[in-house]
Amino acid sequence: MQHLQNSVVGRAKSAIEGYGYSGDSYYETLKELEARFGKPSLVVKVTLDRLRKTSRIQNDRPPVVRNLSDVVSTTVWIFKRFGYINDLAAEANISIAVDKLSPDLQVKLKDLVRTSNLHQPNLEDFCRWLEGQADIYDDCFKFPFRGHYGGAGEKHNTFFGNLPSHNKQAKPCLVGDG
């Protein structure tokens, strides 16, 4: 949302100032820009710029994977919303998104493409896959990040203090290396 706020100028900036910087209002803000200015190409450009400027995943931490998933999801939604369907399959746009993955996630994606019928995956296919990866990372790694990443409860100073107690049932990690 902050990127969108910083990307517009003049009347457009004034039109969306009241929305603040919360990511929750991103879609509403885009709808406001569309209604007032009717330039879908501007909204698509800003959204694609946001994807370009998103940092590459370095350490596969759940919040970073989830952030990229959210950015790609927004990009897909915007392309579909404004009828930029061909841009979902544009190799340049897919490359921008794939280049944001860590080497480990790139290997997982290449393995999926090789073993499935996805000869030429598009941005929507990538979005679904990445959302699934973000869910897996959330499930497998949520306990060490408790208190820092959406976890409720008391923060502990040690790794073992963040693991579930023996009394609680924890979801098992479905990934062999997690």
Side-chain angles (χ1 to χ4, degrees):
M1 182 63 190
Q2 185 173 3
H3 178 70
L4 179 61
Q5 289 276 7
N6 294 334
S7 298
V8 294
V9 294
R11 291 184 346 190
K13 188 167 192 76
S14 299
I16 64 172
E17 280 178 338
Y19 287 93
Y21 289 94
S22 168
D24 296 337
S25 60
Y26 188 79
Y27 292 115
E28 294 170 27
T29 305
L30 290 174
K31 287 180 185 177
E32 179 69 23
L33 287 173
E34 176 190 11
R36 284 212 178 164
F37 302 101
K39 295 184 180 178
S41 61
L42 175 63
V43 176
V44 168
K45 180 187 177 304
V46 167
T47 304
L48 204 49
D49 284 346
R50 180 178 179 213
L51 177 60
R52 280 187 190 102
K53 292 179 180 177
T54 299
S55 298
R56 185 171 194 224
I57 297 173
Q58 299 293 326
N59 56 15
D60 292 353
R61 287 187 56 230
V64 179
V65 176
R66 177 62 63 194
N67 179 63
L68 179 59
S69 175
D70 292 345
V71 169
V72 171
S73 177
T74 298
T75 304
V76 168
W77 184 85
I78 292 296
F79 282 175
K80 290 168 82 175
R81 170 90 169 94
F82 293 115
Y84 284 68
I85 303 304
N86 291 337
D87 288 314
L88 290 171
E91 192 167 327
N93 294 336
I94 296 166
S95 291
I96 291 169
V98 171
D99 286 345
K100 302 298 179 183
L101 295 176
S102 67
D104 288 343
L105 285 173
Q106 286 182 1
V107 168
K108 288 179 182 180
L109 178 63
K110 286 178 184 178
D111 187 47
L112 171 73
V113 171
R114 195 172 302 147
T115 59
S116 69
N117 291 333
L118 291 175
H119 299 291
Q120 197 68 13
N122 63 30
L123 205 54
E124 195 169 11
D125 298 325
F126 176 78
C127 179
R128 278 191 299 271
W129 173 82
L130 185 58
E131 188 173 277
Q133 292 299 305
D135 290 345
I136 290 169
Y137 277 81
D138 285 345
D139 288 346
C140 291
F141 300 110
K142 66 182 167 188
F143 297 111
F145 295 101
R146 181 178 285 162
H148 301 284
Y149 176 59
E154 184 180 333
K155 285 198 289 189
H156 300 281
N157 292 328
T158 66
F159 175 80
F160 294 107
N162 287 324
L163 293 175
S165 72
H166 296 290
N167 301 349
K168 296 180 184 175
Q169 290 285 339
K171 286 185 184 177
C173 180
L174 301 176
V175 180
D177 61 353

